[in-house]
Amino acid sequence: MSNKIRLGILGGGGDSLIGVLHRVASTMYDRYQLVGGSFNPSLDESIKFANQIGISTNQVYKDLDTLIEKELALPADQRMEVVSILTPNFLHFPMAKKLLENGFNVICEKPMTTTYEEAKTLHEILKKSNTVFAVTYTYTGYPMVRQMRQMIANGEIGKIQKIDAQYYQGWINPIIHDKAQRKSTWRLDPEKSGISCCIGDIGTHAFNMVEYMSGLKVNSILADLNYLYDDNQMDIDGTVLIHCDNDVKGVIRASQIATGEENNFTVQIYGDKAGLKWEQENPNYLYLLEDGHPLRVLKPGHAYNNDLSLDGTKLPPGHPEGIFDSMGNIYKGVARAIRNETYDQAEFPTMIDGVRGMNFIEKAVESHKAGNVWVEIDKQ
Amino acid sequence: MSNKIRLGILGGGGDSLIGVLHRVASTMYDRYQLVGGSFNPSLDESIKFANQIGISTNQVYKDLDTLIEKELALPADQRMEVVSILTPNFLHFPMAKKLLENGFNVICEKPMTTTYEEAKTLHEILKKSNTVFAVTYTYTGYPMVRQMRQMIANGEIGKIQKIDAQYYQGWINPIIHDKAQRKSTWRLDPEKSGISCCIGDIGTHAFNMVEYMSGLKVNSILADLNYLYDDNQMDIDGTVLIHCDNDVKGVIRASQIATGEENNFTVQIYGDKAGLKWEQENPNYLYLLEDGHPLRVLKPGHAYNNDLSLDGTKLPPGHPEGIFDSMGNIYKGVARAIRNETYDQAEFPTMIDGVRGMNFIEKAVESHKAGNVWVEIDKQ
Amino acid sequence: MSNKIRLGILGGGGDSLIGVLHRVASTMYDRYQLVGGSFNPSLDESIKFANQIGISTNQVYKDLDTLIEKELALPADQRMEVVSILTPNFLHFPMAKKLLENGFNVICEKPMTTTYEEAKTLHEILKKSNTVFAVTYTYTGYPMVRQMRQMIANGEIGKIQKIDAQYYQGWINPIIHDKAQRKSTWRLDPEKSGISCCIGDIGTHAFNMVEYMSGLKVNSILADLNYLYDDNQMDIDGTVLIHCDNDVKGVIRASQIATGEENNFTVQIYGDKAGLKWEQENPNYLYLLEDGHPLRVLKPGHAYNNDLSLDGTKLPPGHPEGIFDSMGNIYKGVARAIRNETYDQAEFPTMIDGVRGMNFIEKAVESHKAGNVWVEIDKQ
Amino acid sequence: MSNKIRLGILGGGGDSLIGVLHRVASTMYDRYQLVGGSFNPSLDESIKFANQIGISTNQVYKDLDTLIEKELALPADQRMEVVSILTPNFLHFPMAKKLLENGFNVICEKPMTTTYEEAKTLHEILKKSNTVFAVTYTYTGYPMVRQMRQMIANGEIGKIQKIDAQYYQGWINPIIHDKAQRKSTWRLDPEKSGISCCIGDIGTHAFNMVEYMSGLKVNSILADLNYLYDDNQMDIDGTVLIHCDNDVKGVIRASQIATGEENNFTVQIYGDKAGLKWEQENPNYLYLLEDGHPLRVLKPGHAYNNDLSLDGTKLPPGHPEGIFDSMGNIYKGVARAIRNETYDQAEFPTMIDGVRGMNFIEKAVESHKAGNVWVEIDKQ
């Protein structure tokens, strides 16, 4: 039988983007099989969605308690082994707690909990269990992020002496300046989102990445946050001075009012031998700066990459990972044609393209061999 | 029952990259279910591989003839609906021919055939069948490629007056200069690869893209190919002048001796109102040039994108599509931990990261509220 | 007679780069005539240098006192009108003071003085005089810096809500880690360089630019500086939180230990309508970010530029200003040939290049008109 | 006396950009002294202009014949040594001819002549004279162009195997599509501009650069030019296949209908060891591509640069050459203030900026030393 890991999912139904992301990710290396879950608060919706994605009705549970009860009743080698939690933030803690207490491995979307207190509680439970727990700070999976971590760990930039991380977005700009909107957005409501908006949502990404890449711990911080309006209770921008292990100083800058920015997340770490920079919006490039040498631009999939990076690369050099999505779009177009929904030449290359392509090749060789003369391409 | 399309695959077994690409792509929009195929020349290998990826042994066929025979014996609503051909190039034609003649839809890797003659034959068969046939010129699936096509179709750059496509690689450089290697590489053997190496492999991509994006047909060409050595029978570089519909002139440039280039595939199309440029290695950027206006850089997922582009975008602005792969890497790390292979903190964020993240948020707010003073991060 | 402004220079002799920079700058718009000065501490050296650059001996003064005495003795319409101070930093204050007190206009290199106290004294003197005084924070002269200032002043990005400036260099890295070197470098000696190294040298550039571009004043600051070694008395890195007019918050980041960085000076200013970014190392590009619009990249010399920017642009679009230097190099090569120093074909294009160029044009037309056939280029 | 070379200029009066370019270039290395010339067809205008730029009336000649006659009458050590020809194209040949025949060194703007025949004639004359002659293909003066030439000459990319040059502009687009304009533009009139527009104006730049950088000669060409309209007699776009020494193949692409392009001039040369790329619009970057190595980005002024490149660099790393122009703008603003034309704070930094800068430095240190607390910046 298949040795795939039996995966369950909580949340992520309907057209949830995060649901697609986790499902596709789970197929990437042929290690998981999605066996069931609870995808929507409504059981009917959940079943409908499950069927759409090829999960049969009996694998859909009305809630987490039912899931746990039913799965625990199964023999261990048929039981769900890991559960991904993609539900709204306030459910992360209770769900993760229950799963850990019942021996399930957990993959949990960020933020892991809504308070530090909850986080510590969860950690205590994890220590007593014998399970694997992951928080999906997704960016740490990029090949060049791993390359950067490993290069630093290998001493390739020497002793770290300066850290600078930026995560700038502009999305809250149209909301924050409208009194009605800033009152009604759940992101700006402490009841729903905890004590922080900007630092909580993206500052943590930067914080996590700084520790991941540098291998250093941040020991103390000094923050200047920005709320813009007196009636706004949640930070939407902030600069945080950081002091790390080995007296390394640095800064984390996060903003949701950097108008026009999308996800401009960059990390710069400088050592006494060299510096490294990475930018999330161009994740395949890693910049290596060294005194007296030309700037070097590292890319994934090369023999010069380290093991940790290569382990995260499926494609040969020069192919952005987005080609998976490009191929996915072609498959989608074909699906539509097969199901007689649409048959749009713009959505996938048809045989005419194949025919013309072959003709082009033969004619190019013919033109060349005839002494570089014009030849006609056949009409199709 | 699931309304998913039943997909079979020929080839792509073992650690074939193209196999991964097609399987992952087929999951992206939850439209396909992989139900079987023939993944390796050896049936044993094929079964072993199939089991690894969750396909049961009875869905593995020893060859295409068996596949067709067995599937045709099934009721129509249980039968494989579409077959992806990922086998070596010389098998594309006979396999596609047989599948079409038996009523299967086909997704075929490029090159579609090894000769133009075969391509035309296949086309005749397709015309008589009632099936869908796609050739995977994958790049046409990129959101910004689609954006460019649709903008041109909408007249946003006016009447086209100049076309320039480049596909430069350097991979054959270490081979071509070594007499033994250039004699033994299958790519340079006309018996195995047809009449062209460079134009056949990547020139066709450029040709297809030019026609896809511009909406024009190339009508005549003049080629100057490059073989570098007298004992080399296959072009490894070439420049092709093109004349298209409406007297539009242009050039397609392809090379495998552009040392150090990876997949530097770019297309520039200029109209009488504006110009557009796209580069495969940075596929999320589309450059719009207009006299008297600042350069504009379009990205996917925005309200300003056209429908064809948005249909190919799953993510919000500012997230490169490679984030799927990044998340895939995290899932891989978790799988290893669950299976007790490795438990490497570098491979996925653990609960410690989650705990520290929550602590960071609360401390940042505390520092700010205390008047921007230093506060300690807890040790974990 | 020429209406050019009579310019004197203090310092900048020998192969001083700053001397070249000021002399060339003074010729750019045909507004100045260099009439004399005191270029070196040694009068002999000063005369020798003056003669080399076309200044006659009687226009060279042994020191500033002599200069002032002699020039004041001249009729007003023959007198030096403005004096550029290019001497070591500690001389800026006494020289500027004396010049202002004697009615000369002054162009002073930065830093203007070595202490704030001196700066205030100088300001008091200036207020009583009727002269023009400029400090050469050179970067404010870039066309796209001016474009950015004016766009902000015009309200094109709306109300400013976030400011971020970075000036990262790595040059002190090889010095700071060597105990002997960090003891002996004048930049790290408070006696010679005042109380600050990094903030004093480059932090001020960022501070000045923030105020220049934004039109806002910085009202309070909180600094975290970095000295790296206990025996080092001067900051070589620092992050400065800033609070500006209208409660605008921001950050200035400066470093001389950002290993491998050259002059990575960037300014990002975000308003409630749009954001703008400028980078010193690519000074011809200005990035305009606006929610829901493609990124726009503005360049100099276009009709869409504002007056302040266009006033600072001599060249048509698409020509980096460095072309002046490129032409300067060609002139240098010609000078060497004329003076029989070297006659290097690499240093300037010779007539052979001109002949071949004309041949190329005629042959290209001939090839085309003959139906796109090969034609030979003549041997020269 | 000054050992500067006595320079005369023909043309370039009024607000001629090319005049400014040559005058400033001649000052860059303190090797030339502009001593006179004939700047305008009208003597009055010429004198007026000369006076403005500091040339006295008696150094202005009504025409070239007068210039030659009067200068030859002077003792050799007072005579004009070199003359720059900046007049309209059709005058280049007769003027250069006369100057050479009379023993003057010549710096001639491109195109050197209007026909190949003239060019050959001129060359014959030059061979018999003992003078220096330069054609200002300005781009060859860029430090990174020189770096690229020298690296290739040194064998750093191995044996050249592929050349690709592009010079794309869009400026003729608004003209070419308007029948009246395309009839009346001198650039499109063979009487005034010779037999070619695009190839003649910019194709030659690419041709010259290819030979300059590669060290190879182009031996034969095949051109496909583009006229767009039947009533247009001059090419405004073209692709030229080239065959060079050592059987190297390549392509030169030039266009004036690449809508929205400014001066997108790029050269890519690939050898069997590595490849090099340079782009005119970002002239300070040189890209070195090598199989199995990260892309390297070379910049000017580094110890790793070769002598030919360093000879063309005045500034330290990280300062674009445009800083000369930036400083020039500051000097212009000061000139206006001195002459009571305008006194605009936007045009140059004033003492207030200097005062605030000193205050910032002291306050930053104060904030840090007090334990990273907020301190006020003084109002000025």
Side-chain angles (χ1 to χ4, degrees), chain B residues 133-145:
Chain B
F133 188 98
V135 195
T136 46
Y137 286 113
T138 318
Y139 304 138
T140 57
Y142 278 116
M144 299 322 280
V145 167

Side-chain angles (χ1 to χ4, degrees), chain B residues 63-281:
Chain B
D63 55 25
L64 177 59
D65 287 336
T66 315
L67 180 150
I68 288 174
E69 184 191 346
K70 294 278 178 66
E71 289 289 334
L72 287 181
L74 294 173
D77 66 352
Q78 293 169 36
R79 196 180 298 155
M80 206 176 270
E81 294 174 89
V82 59
V83 179
S84 291
I85 304 176
L86 316 183
T87 53
N89 297 354
F90 72 94
L91 291 173
H92 292 182
F93 172 67
M95 285 180 157
K97 183 167 175 292
K98 202 166 286 181
L99 285 163
L100 291 180
E101 287 170 343
N102 284 283
F104 292 90
N105 300 294
V106 171
I107 294 171
C108 183
E109 257 304 315
K110 64 160 279 281
M112 188 172 81
T113 59
T114 54
T115 67
Y116 178 43
E117 204 55 41
E118 288 174 354
K120 283 189 292 187
T121 303
L122 212 56
H123 196 201
E124 289 310 308
I125 295 167
L126 178 68
K127 283 187 208 161
K128 288 178 219 143
S129 79
N130 187 23
T131 57
V132 173
F133 188 98
V135 195
T136 46
Y137 286 113
T138 318
Y139 304 138
T140 57
Y142 278 116
M144 299 322 280
V145 167
R146 293 172 163 217
Q147 175 76 21
M148 184 160 163
R149 172 186 166 100
Q150 197 59 44
M151 286 177 74
I152 290 174
N154 292 350
E156 296 181 42
I157 67 165
K159 185 175 175 307
I160 294 174
Q161 60 195 19
K162 173 78 178 178
I163 292 173
D164 190 325
Q166 169 188 289
Y167 200 139
Y168 279 3
Q169 304 178 320
W171 70 270
I172 218 167
N173 190 53
I175 293 165
I176 196 68
H177 298 298
D178 181 290
K179 191 163 188 171
Q181 282 203 59
R182 75 174 171 259
K183 282 288 172 203
S184 59
T185 303
W186 70 268
R187 288 280 201 181
L188 294 176
D189 182 350
E191 298 291 314
K192 294 185 185 131
S193 299
I195 60 170
S196 167
C197 178
C198 176
I199 299 298
D201 190 30
I202 58 177
T204 43
H205 265 302
F207 173 82
N208 179 253
M209 192 63 100
V210 160
E211 294 199 338
Y212 180 80
M213 282 178 163
S214 70
L216 301 178
K217 295 298 172 199
V218 175
N219 295 322
S220 58
I221 61 175
L222 183 160
D224 187 28
L225 309 184
N226 206 340
Y227 298 75
L228 273 197
Y229 291 94
D230 288 342
D231 62 2
N232 169 34
Q233 303 176 66
M234 301 282 273
D235 57 283
I236 39 75
D237 171 276
T239 304
V240 184
L241 306 178
I242 62 174
H243 286 179
C244 307
D245 291 344
N246 306 337
D247 294 323
V248 173
K249 295 187 173 190
V251 61
I252 288 173
R253 300 168 289 122
S255 188
Q256 292 164 332
I257 54 167
T259 310
E261 296 284 7
E262 300 178 355
N263 283 286
N264 193 337
F265 178 25
T266 64
V267 188
Q268 305 163 245
I269 300 182
Y270 302 96
D272 59 10
K273 283 199 212 157
L276 282 168
K277 288 193 216 183
W278 178 80
E279 304 172 351
Q280 191 270 148
E281 295 197 13

Side-chain angles (χ1 to χ4, degrees), chain C residues 282-313:
Chain C
N282 292 291
N284 277 337
Y285 298 86
L286 180 63
Y287 304 92
L288 174 61
L289 300 94
E290 196 175 349
D291 284 332
H293 290 271
L295 169 69
R296 271 167 286 186
V297 185
L298 288 76
K299 297 177 71 180
H302 286 277
Y304 62 69
N305 289 106
N306 51 48
D307 288 348
L308 184 59
S309 169
L310 289 171
D311 183 60
T313 309

Side-chain angles (χ1 to χ4, degrees), chain D residues 192-263:
Chain D
K192 296 186 184 131
S193 299
I195 60 171
S196 167
C197 177
C198 177
I199 298 299
D201 190 30
I202 58 176
T204 42
H205 265 301
F207 174 82
N208 179 253
M209 192 64 100
V210 159
E211 294 198 340
Y212 180 81
M213 282 178 163
S214 71
L216 302 177
K217 294 298 171 199
V218 176
N219 295 321
S220 58
I221 61 174
L222 183 160
D224 186 29
L225 308 184
N226 206 341
Y227 298 74
L228 273 197
Y229 291 94
D230 288 342
D231 62 2
N232 169 34
Q233 302 176 67
M234 302 281 274
D235 57 282
I236 39 76
D237 171 277
T239 304
V240 184
L241 306 178
I242 62 174
H243 287 179
C244 307
D245 291 345
N246 306 340
D247 293 324
V248 174
K249 296 188 173 190
V251 61
I252 289 173
R253 300 167 288 121
S255 187
Q256 293 164 331
I257 54 167
T259 309
E261 297 285 8
E262 299 178 355
N263 283 287

Side-chain angles (χ1 to χ4, degrees), chain A residues 32 212 262 311 331-332 346, chain B residues 32 212 302 311 331-332 346:
Chain A
Y32 294 89
Y212 179 80
E262 299 178 355
D311 183 59
Y331 266 79
K332 179 163 67 169
Chain B
Y32 293 89
Y212 180 80
H302 285 276
D311 183 59
Y331 266 80
K332 179 164 67 170

